[in-house]
Amino acid sequence: MRKTLAILGLAFSMTACNLINSEIDGERVNVDDSTKVYTFKDDNKKVTGTVIFYELDPKTTKKYKKSLREVKEGKRVNKGFDYYPNSSINAEFPYDNNGLITGTVKYFYENGQLGATIEFKDNKENGISKEFKDDGVQTKEIVYEAGTKLKEYDFDESGKKIIPAIERLELVTYKTGFFEYVDYNSNQLLYQPMVIMKWKNKSDQPITETIEIEGVFINNSKEEEMAKASDYFQGYSDAPLQPNLSRQGVLQSSVGYTNASGIYGANISCQIIINKQLFKTVKISNNFLTTNRIQ
C-alpha cells in the first residue's frame, strides 16, 4: 500500500512538473492588469504552464520571443524573463508564492552586460537600485522604501559615489532667538528671528561644492510664512570646508517685532534647507540674542 502511494505521489509530481514546463502561446492567455492573474481566453480557467509572448521585430519583421513567464494556477512563479530580438536576456524578474515581484530584478544590455538591479518586495521597489553603463561602471544609486524614493546618488566617471553636502554636514550646535537690528533706511528698531548654526564636515574628504543654506521663518500662530533668508555657506570662490573642521552660519529674518515685549508671545519656527533639501525645522526661542556667533 505504501509503495502504491509512493508511485502515485511520484506520478503526480511528474505531471505537475510537465504542466509547469508545458509551453503556452501568449495569444491564448489574458493577463489581468491589476492582479496579474493569467487565465485562458477560451474558458477563463487559470493557467498552469510556461507562457511565452511573441512580438514582431520592427527591423526584420520576424516574430521573436519577447517574454517568458512560468505560471501556476494563474500566478507567476519562479523567474520571468524578457528578451531582445537577438534572444539575449533583457530583464529577469523573481516572483514569490503570491505571484508578486520579490527579490532582485535585473536588466541587461543587449551584449549581456548588467545594466541595472532593483530590489523589490510585494511588487514595489524596496531597497537599493543600481544603474550601470555598458562597460560596468556604476552611474546611479537610488534607495526606495515600499515604492517611495528616499535618496538618490550619482557617480563620477570612475564609478565613485557622490555624497551630497546635506549628508556630509553635521549640525554640531545651534542657537535661536531674536536679534536686535536697526534699520537705518526706515529709522526703525526691529527684533528679528535668528538661527545661529555651527556646521562640521563629518566626512573624510573636503567639501568643495557650492552650499546654500536657506531659512523659511514661519509664524505658527497664523500658519503663514513671515520671511525667507539665505546664507551662501560656501560659494565658488570660498575655500573648501576641510574634514573635521567647523564653520558657522546665520539665518536672519528680514521681518521682526518693533516692540521687544512682542517676542515673549511669539510662536516662530524656521525650516533649514540645504541646497533645496529640507534638513531640519527648529523652534525660535523667545529670548534675546546679543551676538550672531556661537561663542
Side-chain angles (χ1 to χ4, degrees), residues 26 29-39 51 53 76:
V29 175
N30 276 325
V31 183
D32 188 282
D33 290 335
S34 59
T35 64
K36 300 301 181 184
V37 171
Y38 286 57
T39 56
V51 181
F53 297 91
R76 301 170 298 186

Side-chain angles (χ1 to χ4, degrees), residues 44-86:
N44 206 35
K45 290 183 178 179
K46 292 181 179 178
V47 173
T48 293
T50 300
V51 181
I52 300 177
F53 297 91
Y54 297 89
E55 279 192 13
L56 288 178
D57 182 357
K59 294 182 179 179
T60 64
T61 68
K62 293 182 179 179
K63 189 169 73 170
Y64 73 98
K65 181 170 64 176
K66 174 65 176 177
S67 63
L68 178 153
R69 299 292 186 272
E70 289 188 58
V71 181
K72 185 176 181 181
E73 296 178 0
K75 295 181 180 180
R76 301 170 298 186
V77 295
N78 302 326
K79 288 185 179 180
F81 299 91
D82 289 349
Y83 299 94
Y84 289 105
N86 68 357

Side-chain angles (χ1 to χ4, degrees), residues 211-263:
I211 301 171
E212 182 181 12
I213 299 179
E214 298 174 281
V216 179
F217 291 91
I218 299 171
N219 187 330
N220 297 307
S221 298
K222 296 183 178 180
E223 297 184 341
E224 67 178 12
E225 291 185 3
M226 287 178 59
K228 295 181 181 180
S230 181
D231 176 22
Y232 278 94
F233 184 76
Q234 182 165 287
Y236 290 106
S237 60
D238 293 326
L241 182 60
Q242 299 299 317
N244 298 315
L245 289 185
S246 299
R247 183 182 293 166
Q248 293 197 28
V250 174
L251 295 171
Q252 182 175 349
S253 170
S254 59
V255 176
Y257 292 84
T258 57
N259 192 320
S261 62
I263 74 169

Side-chain angles (χ1 to χ4, degrees), residues 64-293:
Y64 73 98
K65 181 170 64 176
K66 174 65 176 177
S67 63
L68 178 153
R69 299 292 186 272
E70 289 188 58
V71 181
K72 185 176 181 181
E73 296 178 0
K75 295 181 180 180
R76 301 170 298 186
V77 295
N78 302 326
K79 288 185 179 180
F81 299 91
D82 289 349
Y83 299 94
Y84 289 105
N86 68 357
S87 298
S88 64
I89 295 175
N90 181 345
E92 175 184 308
F93 304 91
Y95 299 105
D96 61 18
N97 293 332
N98 296 314
L100 303 177
I101 303 174
T102 297
T104 304
V105 174
K106 299 178 181 179
Y107 291 92
F108 300 89
Y109 288 99
E110 206 162 355
N111 63 4
Q113 178 67 48
L114 183 66
T117 61
I118 308 175
E119 297 298 321
F120 270 77
K121 183 179 180 181
D122 298 336
N123 266 10
K124 294 180 180 179
E125 297 96 333
N126 193 80
I128 296 176
S129 165
K130 299 179 181 180
E131 297 179 14
F132 306 89
K133 294 192 293 186
D134 58 6
D135 61 0
V137 175
Q138 188 170 351
T139 60
K140 191 175 288 294
E141 178 180 300
I142 304 174
V143 181
Y144 290 96
E145 184 176 330
T148 300
K149 183 192 294 186
L150 300 181
K151 298 179 181 178
E152 182 173 341
Y153 303 95
D154 290 321
F155 287 68
D156 62 21
E157 290 298 319
S158 66
K160 183 178 179 181
K161 185 192 293 187
I162 301 171
I163 307 297
I166 195 170
E167 293 186 26
R168 299 164 67 190
L169 284 173
E170 177 187 0
L171 184 57
V172 179
T173 186
Y174 67 91
K175 192 173 183 179
T176 68
F178 290 79
F179 188 75
E180 185 179 288
Y181 171 77
V182 179
D183 185 348
Y184 291 101
N185 292 324
S186 61
N187 195 27
Q188 187 178 46
L189 182 65
L190 291 175
Y191 296 92
Q192 299 172 322
M194 176 182 283
V195 183
I196 312 168
M197 304 159 290
K198 181 182 285 189
W199 300 91
K200 180 181 178 180
N201 178 1
K202 64 180 181 180
S203 71
D204 59 358
Q205 298 291 325
I207 297 178
T208 58
E209 64 262 41
T210 299
I211 301 171
E212 182 181 12
I213 299 179
E214 298 174 281
V216 179
F217 291 91
I218 299 171
N219 187 330
N220 297 307
S221 298
K222 296 183 178 180
E223 297 184 341
E224 67 178 12
E225 291 185 3
M226 287 178 59
K228 295 181 181 180
S230 181
D231 176 22
Y232 278 94
F233 184 76
Q234 182 165 287
Y236 290 106
S237 60
D238 293 326
L241 182 60
Q242 299 299 317
N244 298 315
L245 289 185
S246 299
R247 183 182 293 166
Q248 293 197 28
V250 174
L251 295 171
Q252 182 175 349
S253 170
S254 59
V255 176
Y257 292 84
T258 57
N259 192 320
S261 62
I263 74 169
Y264 296 112
N267 183 11
I268 310 298
S269 62
C270 179
Q271 295 177 340
I272 302 173
I273 300 168
I274 302 178
N275 288 350
K276 309 302 180 185
Q277 295 185 62
L278 178 63
F279 176 81
K280 185 182 183 70
T281 299
V282 299
K283 179 75 170 60
I284 304 298
S285 300
N286 298 82
N287 54 32
F288 295 97
L289 293 172
T290 57
T291 178
N292 59 2
R293 297 284 295 177

